[in-house]
């Protein structure tokens, strides 16, 4: 068919508009296209990467659904556009039913923005071609024209197919949800709920802000209990206090409970800022977790309740990662991949004569000083320092009777994006690494790494953490598409999942089994239930 020739032709316009009346065969054509072009085995030139029916969708909900299909956790049209712009791979997007969308003009703005990128091809289905779409100089298939119609085949299909009401958006109508009732909004069509919250100017007890903050985690296919958990985690401190109890009851089957959370705008206790990175471990002397924000400021919060424990005195420009050492001091990676040692505020400092007599560097200080080249990830595992680079290599440095031993393995294709580890015994450790290649690898320094990845997905690892808990070792993975995966080696269930709705910037596994999840909007502590 002509559409396949358009997909294969690099000189063709970036946008193809399929127009015509409801009964002219568009449904048959788009159903065929969806079936033929989204199969895993379809050739690259014919593959469709995103297909979002626009009936009833706003620009916001369309962005959420499209982001999920493209492996992103974008929460706004702007974030989606930035994600697509940064990914130079060929991307084909099909958008049926533009004329039935909840906000056609806003959706057209999104389409026009996506059409600017050379790697993007858009197939848009609508009744009539608007001036905005015409300005894109699209290829147009008007299915009312005889050249696109096989009347005999269409008659056979039409005789057997149901007859939708003309000009009626698909999906039917549901009862309007009660926007003040958690049970109602978790049960009703989430696209309808989102559209109503977008139009509303009321807070609905805090549910509206939580819903829009959680974004695509609520509109993706999931159970009412999962939606309740996500909403519970996204509630601000100004929300009706009764909502948390109601959402907790609705989410009881999800296997998680929210121990505490801080979201943007919280005052008591205050939100610590975007959680760009969290410490891999918890400082035993203070029970604090290091939270690195977008300005390079490291704040400490209590692991048990999120209360503020102070901050490091100096910000690190462009900092990307932070890790607690065994002694309570921290290593911080700056924007150039350089590693620096920061003195923990709870670590006693030598004073007076004792400080003058100290001539030997501390163990972690010696290891940090020995690091060469730039790093992309860092972790302290017992007394060892592990770090990865942009070429997929992981190095582990350990002090051994006054000398520094180095173990080295190339574990990933592309940059190492996360590191974690568990100390098995004195001088022995397991190191976990996550990469831009979407793989999580396990390696015991001094031995050959496992040949296969522990986990592998078609999106990058954004954060990694591991801990020994009363139920055995756990590994927590943050993925680029917004999924948090909790794997317990010896406990049941072996895997749990959580989606906060925003891009996952950081995770931290705590020794009691709890998990911290950090995003640009929130920091939440989950406990397995």
């Amino acid at each position: 068919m002509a559409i396949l020739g358009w997909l294969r032709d690099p000189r063709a316009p970036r946008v193809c508009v399929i127009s015509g009346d409801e009964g002219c065969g568009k449904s048959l054509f788009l159903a065929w296209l969806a079936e033929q072009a989204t199969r895993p085995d379809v050739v690259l030139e014919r593959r469709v990467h995103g297909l979002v029916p626009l009936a009833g969708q706003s620009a916001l909900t369309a962005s959420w659904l499209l982001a999920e299909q493209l492996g992103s956790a974008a929460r706004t049209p702007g974030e989606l556009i930035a994600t697509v712009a940064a990914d130079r791979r060929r991307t084909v997007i099909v958008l049926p039913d533009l004329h039935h969308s909840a906000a056609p003009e806003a959706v057209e703005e999104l389409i026009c923005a996506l059409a600017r990128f050379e790697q993007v091809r858009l197939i848009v289905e609508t009744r009539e071609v608007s001036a905005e779409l015409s300005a894109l100089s699209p290829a147009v298939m008007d299915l009312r024209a005889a050249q696109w119609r096989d009347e005999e085949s269409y008659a056979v299909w039409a005789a057997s197919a149901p007859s939708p009401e003309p000009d009626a958006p698909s999906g039917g109508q549901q009862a309007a949800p009660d926007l003040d009732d958690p049970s109602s909004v978790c049960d009703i069509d989430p696209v309808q709920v989102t559209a109503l919250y977008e139009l509303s100017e009321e807070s609905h007890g805090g549910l509206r802000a939580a819903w829009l903050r959680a974004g695509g985690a609520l509109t993706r296919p999931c159970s009412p209990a999962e939606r309740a958990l996500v909403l519970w985690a996204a509630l601000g401190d100004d929300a009706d206090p009764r909502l948390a109890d109601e959402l907790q009851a609705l989410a009881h089957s999800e296997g998680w409970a929210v121990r505490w959370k801080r979201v943007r705008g919280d005052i008591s206790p205050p939100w610590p800022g975007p959680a760009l990175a969290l410490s891999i471990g918890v400082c035993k002397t203070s029970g604090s977790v290091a939270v690195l924000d977008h300005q390079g400021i490291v704040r400490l919060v209590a692991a048990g309740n999120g209360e503020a424990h102070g901050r490091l005195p100096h910000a690190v420009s462009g900092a990307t990662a932070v890790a607690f050492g065994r002694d309570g001091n921290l290593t911080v990676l700056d924007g150039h991949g350089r590693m620096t040692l920061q003195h923990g505020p709870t670590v006693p400092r030598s004073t007076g004569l004792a400080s003058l007599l100290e001539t030997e560097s501390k163990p972690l200080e010696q290891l940090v000083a020995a690091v060469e080249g730039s790093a992309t990830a860092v972790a302290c595992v017992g007394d060892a320092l592990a770090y990865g680079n942009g070429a997929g290599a992981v190095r582990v440095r350990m002090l051994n009777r006054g000398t520094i031993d180095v173990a080295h393995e190339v574990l990933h294709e592309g940059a190492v994006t996360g590191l974690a580890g568990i100390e098995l015994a004195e001088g022995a450790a397991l190191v976990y690494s996550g990469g831009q290649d979407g793989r999580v690898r396990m390696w015991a320094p001094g031995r050959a790494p496992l040949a296969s990845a522990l986990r592998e997905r078609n999106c990058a690892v954004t954060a990694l953490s591991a801990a020994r808990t009363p139920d055995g070792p756990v590994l927590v993975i943050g993925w680029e598409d917004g999924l948090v995966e909790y794997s317990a080696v010896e406990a049941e269930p072996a895997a749990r999942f959580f989606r906060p709705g925003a891009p996952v910037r950081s995770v931290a596994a705590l020794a009691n089994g709890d998990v911290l999840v950090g995003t640009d909007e929130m920091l939440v502590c989950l406990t397995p239930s």
Side-chain angles (χ1 to χ4, degrees), residues 430-454:
L430 280 179
V431 174
Y432 300 93
S433 62
Q436 205 168 29
D437 57 3
R439 296 171 184 161
V440 176
R441 303 287 303 273
M442 184 175 71
W443 171 45
R447 299 183 180 181
L450 292 180
S452 59
L454 287 180

Side-chain angles (χ1 to χ4, degrees), residues 228-235 244 247-248 251 255-263 304 498 514-515 522-529:
L229 176 66
V230 174
L231 274 178
W232 182 14
L235 281 178
L247 290 168
Q248 180 179 8
W256 289 110
V258 177
R259 186 179 295 278
W260 57 264
K261 68 258 187 323
R262 301 287 176 267
V263 304
F498 175 69
D514 288 354
V515 176
M522 59 189 287
L523 177 63
V524 58
C525 181
L526 301 173
T527 186
S529 62

Side-chain angles (χ1 to χ4, degrees), residues 10-31:
R11 301 164 299 177
R14 295 175 194 158
V15 180
C16 177
V17 178
I18 302 170
S19 63
D21 299 328
E22 297 299 322
C24 69
K26 290 188 297 181
S27 299
L28 176 63
F29 174 75
L30 290 169

Side-chain angles (χ1 to χ4, degrees), residues 271-509:
W271 176 58
L276 181 66
L278 298 172
S279 62
I280 299 298
V282 179
C283 178
K284 295 181 173 61
T285 58
S286 67
S288 296
V289 176
V291 183
L292 171 68
D293 73 9
H294 63 298
Q295 296 178 322
I297 298 172
V298 178
R299 293 179 173 85
L300 302 181
V301 300
N305 57 17
E307 291 182 352
H309 271 192
R311 51 173 283 182
L312 298 189
H314 304 293
V316 179
S317 177
T320 59
V322 61
F324 261 123
R326 189 195 290 276
D327 59 3
N329 292 317
L330 299 101
T331 59
V332 182
L333 287 184
D334 68 13
H336 301 285
R338 295 174 301 205
M339 196 178 304
T340 59
L341 185 67
Q342 302 286 321
H343 192 82
T346 60
V347 178
R349 293 176 180 267
S350 300
T351 59
L353 183 60
S355 64
L356 295 175
L357 295 175
E358 281 187 356
T359 58
E360 187 175 339
S361 300
K362 302 289 180 157
L364 184 57
E365 187 177 356
Q366 295 179 51
L367 295 175
V368 170
V371 172
E372 298 175 349
S374 62
T376 56
V378 62
C380 295
V381 186
D383 290 323
L385 178 68
Y387 57 100
N389 65 20
V394 176
R395 287 180 172 82
V396 179
R397 293 184 179 270
M398 301 158 282
L399 278 175
N400 183 13
R401 298 179 182 179
T403 63
I404 297 178
D405 294 339
V406 182
H408 168 269
E409 287 287 347
V410 176
L411 299 175
H412 297 275
E413 297 176 8
V416 178
T417 54
L419 281 172
I422 295 176
E423 189 177 25
L424 300 176
E426 187 174 350
L430 280 179
V431 174
Y432 300 93
S433 62
Q436 205 168 29
D437 57 3
R439 296 171 184 161
V440 176
R441 303 287 303 273
M442 184 175 71
W443 171 45
R447 299 183 180 181
L450 292 180
S452 59
L454 287 180
R455 289 288 286 115
E456 184 171 359
R457 299 182 68 223
N458 191 30
C459 62
V461 175
T462 59
L464 203 63
S465 185
R468 297 182 68 91
T469 74
D471 295 324
V474 300
L475 176 67
V476 183
I477 310 166
W479 297 95
E480 188 178 34
D481 64 352
L483 177 69
V484 175
E485 182 175 350
Y486 175 98
S487 298
V489 178
E490 300 171 4
E492 293 292 339
R496 301 170 188 259
F497 303 94
F498 175 69
R499 287 182 182 269
V504 177
R505 306 298 187 194
S506 54
V507 295

